[in-house]
Amino acid sequence: MFKIVKKPLFSKNYLSTIAIGDNYYNDWSKYALPTWIKYCDKNDLGIVVITNDLISKKNPNWKKATWQKLLLGKTFLKNNLDIDNICYLDTDILINHQAPNIFDGYDKEKIAVVSQRKNLEQPLNETLRKLAFLRHNYYSKEYPLDSSLFMSSDEMYKYHKLDPQKDTFCAGLFVFNLENHSNLMKSWFEKYNKNIDTLTGGGDQPILNYEFLNYGKISWLSYKFQALWIYEIAWKYPFLYDYGRDNQSLILECIEASLTSNYFLHFAGSWHESEMWKIDIVFSDTKKEKKLKEY
């Protein structure tokens, strides 16, 4: 069901992810986990990974596996794990191990998230326009230049027949307290059955945005704690689209440059640029390690 990859020495704070199936687990272990371990060593954090479904596929509430992030708290409490706070991360997140501890200053009464619209380091609309143009010209002429990518937050909530909230966040990262939020998150999971229809093909993103923000007890983390690669590549490194996957060393150099300016880098999405994290281990040699630490 779950595997404790690393235990902290003194703290009760853990990073957690869902990696069900050999492909997900192996990719995470090979490319992302080494960066997580270095970060956890520096900040005395644990790592626990979900390796099997937490709910039967026959259950009427069965949904895409990513929804099971809402069941993490209850699962860990039920199994008496010595954990106070969890930072949930998608498997496709690389970490700058010199980054600050994401739990420092965390208010356990609140759920901490990162806005994907406000306080960004690049203008959102122009970045998305560039992203659509680059995908259309380099990946597929069928990729629309105007699509749901440009929905406002109000339009996104209204599409799902939900009351509009003031912002949206990427649900691939959030911090919560087991005692205060486990039952609440489980209730959100059980509120929606397997027939849930969303813009993300039944995915959790729109619904979690509504439930979290409607809950109200939210703290907003810096964009640096979940820099989105699709924003980064469109705004800073559009030339990578010229090379596809052929220039591995250049891709790695750009990813490392992005991580130097950010804390966590998330390769969210289903298009080709979101697979770029699976090339090599970042900051893997001594010189790079020394340079990053000095920087």
Side-chain angles (χ1 to χ4, degrees):
M1 181 179 293
F2 62 83
K3 177 181 179 181
I4 296 178
V5 177
K6 179 177 175 54
K7 289 185 177 182
L9 293 176
F10 303 106
S11 84
K12 296 183 180 181
N13 299 324
Y14 276 71
L15 306 184
S16 184
T17 194
I18 296 173
I20 299 173
D22 289 343
N23 288 339
Y24 285 103
Y25 186 86
N26 291 338
D27 284 345
W28 171 72
S29 297
K30 182 176 181 180
Y31 302 107
L33 180 58
T35 71
W36 294 28
I37 288 177
K38 286 184 178 180
Y39 180 72
C40 290
D41 283 341
K42 177 177 178 288
N43 295 292
D44 189 29
L45 307 177
I47 302 173
V48 56
V49 55
I50 301 299
T51 55
N52 295 96
D53 289 313
L54 302 179
I55 184 174
S56 169
K57 292 184 178 180
K58 296 179 181 180
N59 191 299
N61 288 322
W62 165 263
K63 297 175 281 292
K64 282 188 172 181
T66 56
W67 281 85
Q68 295 180 50
K69 64 185 77 170
L70 294 176
L71 301 177
L72 293 177
K74 287 298 291 184
T75 299
F76 299 152
L77 288 174
K78 182 179 178 181
N79 286 275
N80 297 313
L81 298 190
D82 193 20
I83 299 175
D84 285 344
N85 304 304
I86 285 287
C87 174
Y88 169 80
L89 301 168
D90 280 354
T91 56
D92 54 354
I93 291 179
L94 303 180
I95 300 178
N96 171 353
H97 57 276
Q98 295 294 340
N101 188 344
I102 195 169
F103 294 98
D104 282 352
Y106 169 61
D107 181 352
K108 67 179 183 179
E109 300 295 326
K110 298 180 178 181
I111 301 172
V113 295
V114 178
S115 173
Q116 62 183 156
R117 293 180 180 271
K118 299 179 180 180
N119 301 315
L120 307 180
E121 298 186 353
Q122 53 272 320
L124 177 60
N125 188 63
E126 188 175 350
T127 300
L128 294 177
R129 290 291 170 194
K130 287 183 176 183
L131 178 63
F133 173 83
L134 292 164
R135 285 177 172 176
H136 177 83
N137 281 273
Y138 288 95
Y139 289 160
S140 173
K141 291 295 182 182
E142 295 182 0
Y143 190 88
L145 293 174
D146 192 12
S147 68
S148 60
L149 188 66
F150 304 102
M151 272 186 169
S152 68
S153 58
D154 281 358
E155 289 171 335
M156 188 276 289
Y157 289 114
K158 288 178 180 177
Y159 176 88
H160 295 93
K161 298 179 173 58
L162 301 168
D163 293 335
Q165 305 297 310
K166 294 181 179 180
D167 203 349
T168 62
F169 64 91
C170 179
L173 180 149
F174 56 88
V175 182
F176 68 98
N177 174 263
L178 266 66
E179 181 179 354
N180 291 326
H181 303 122
S182 295
N183 287 330
L184 181 63
M185 289 184 176
K186 183 174 182 289
S187 72
W188 290 337
F189 181 89
E190 294 173 343
K191 184 177 177 181
Y192 302 91
N193 62 31
K194 62 182 180 181
N195 297 318
I196 183 70
D197 182 28
T198 67
L199 275 172
T200 52
D204 60 274
Q205 170 81 11
I207 305 302
L208 263 62
N209 267 257
Y210 169 74
E211 295 293 354
F212 279 36
L213 298 189
N214 188 57
Y215 169 60
K217 296 180 180 179
I218 296 293
S219 60
W220 295 96
L221 297 166
S222 166
Y223 169 78
K224 292 179 182 291
F225 275 113
Q226 193 181 194
L228 298 175
W229 178 243
I230 58 171
Y231 291 1
E232 297 284 302
I233 187 175
W235 188 251
K236 299 177 181 177
Y237 316 111
F239 50 84
L240 290 181
Y241 284 88
D242 286 313
Y243 300 100
R245 298 272 297 183
D246 294 334
N247 197 326
Q248 298 275 297
S249 61
L250 181 59
I251 293 172
L252 180 62
E253 185 177 347
C254 293
I255 290 173
E256 289 177 336
S258 181
L259 274 169
T260 301
S261 301
N262 294 296
Y263 304 152
F264 294 16
L265 185 59
H266 188 185
F267 291 76
S270 57
W271 281 77
H272 307 305
E273 66 273 279
S274 295
E275 294 292 309
M276 288 182 174
W277 65 289
K278 294 185 281 191
I279 54 170
D280 202 351
I281 300 174
V282 297
F283 306 118
S284 58
D285 63 55
T286 304
K287 288 183 179 180
K288 288 182 177 180
E289 176 81 21
K290 184 175 183 293
K291 184 178 179 180
L292 178 65
K293 186 175 182 179
E294 289 176 346
Y295 185 85

